[in-house]
Amino acid sequence: MFKKMLCVASICSAAWFVPVANAQNTDVVSTAEQLRIQMVEPSKNELNKLVLDDLSYGHSSGRLDTKESFIGDLMKGKSDFVTLNITDQTAKITGDTAVIRHTLTATTNDSGKPGNVSLKVLQVWQKQAAGEWKLLARQAVRINP
């Protein structure tokens, strides 16, 4: 329940930081927000709807995940976000591709080990024939302390 309350608080605060230029940007930013929520309170079915089968998910450590390993790690708690906040977000759409950049700060409990992370993140989203946006790629880099 506490995680869900933090999610709601983060959604409200994140809305103040997201510059949105048009309705199409609003759609992809909204979908990216759904992914953020799913990373805190994961549902395998919902995550499957948000990411492409060919997902390339790069961690700041250099480790790469596939769709299967990304979702599996969230479901098993190997990757466990207690809180996940997004700031300084921008979205740019070119054709059926969107690039979202943001700063991510989070408290984690990966495999039961508490931690904190601050990252710069690049996400690449692809618009599907049915009009929905799906995550194709993601890369994170650590912010120097």
Side-chain angles (χ1 to χ4, degrees):
M1 180 66 172
F2 180 70
K3 285 171 89 172
K4 287 183 182 180
M5 288 176 17
L6 286 172
C7 255
V8 170
S10 293
I11 291 168
C12 292
S13 66
W16 294 104
F17 294 104
V18 179
V20 177
N22 58 44
Q24 194 174 17
N25 277 16
T26 302
D27 290 345
V28 72
V29 168
S30 176
T31 304
E33 174 61 12
Q34 291 172 36
L35 178 64
R36 187 196 67 78
I37 292 167
Q38 286 300 311
M39 290 175 70
V40 176
E41 291 288 338
S43 158
K44 187 174 183 177
N45 288 338
E46 293 303 311
L47 285 163
N48 272 309
K49 293 177 190 175
L50 293 171
V51 300
L52 286 168
D53 290 343
D54 291 332
L55 176 69
S56 176
Y57 188 99
H59 293 268
S60 59
S61 66
R63 183 171 63 90
L64 290 177
D65 270 330
T66 62
K67 178 180 181 177
E68 183 180 340
S69 61
F70 166 65
I71 293 173
D73 287 354
L74 285 169
M75 298 310 299
K76 294 178 216 160
K78 182 176 178 183
S79 182
D80 184 5
F81 291 94
V82 179
T83 65
L84 196 158
N85 298 299
I86 303 295
T87 58
D88 306 321
Q89 183 162 279
T90 62
K92 180 167 175 39
I93 296 172
T94 303
D96 290 336
T97 303
V99 173
I100 294 181
R101 292 181 180 271
H102 57 248
T103 301
L104 178 154
T105 55
T107 54
T108 59
N109 194 32
D110 296 348
S111 297
K113 181 180 176 187
N116 295 294
V117 66
S118 294
L119 306 169
K120 293 289 187 178
V121 176
L122 166 72
Q123 296 178 340
V124 180
W125 294 81
Q126 186 180 73
K127 192 170 192 178
Q128 303 300 291
E132 74 276 5
W133 289 98
K134 293 199 175 205
L135 185 66
L136 173 63
R138 183 255 199 195
Q139 184 61 56
V141 295
R142 290 194 187 277
I143 298 173
N144 292 333

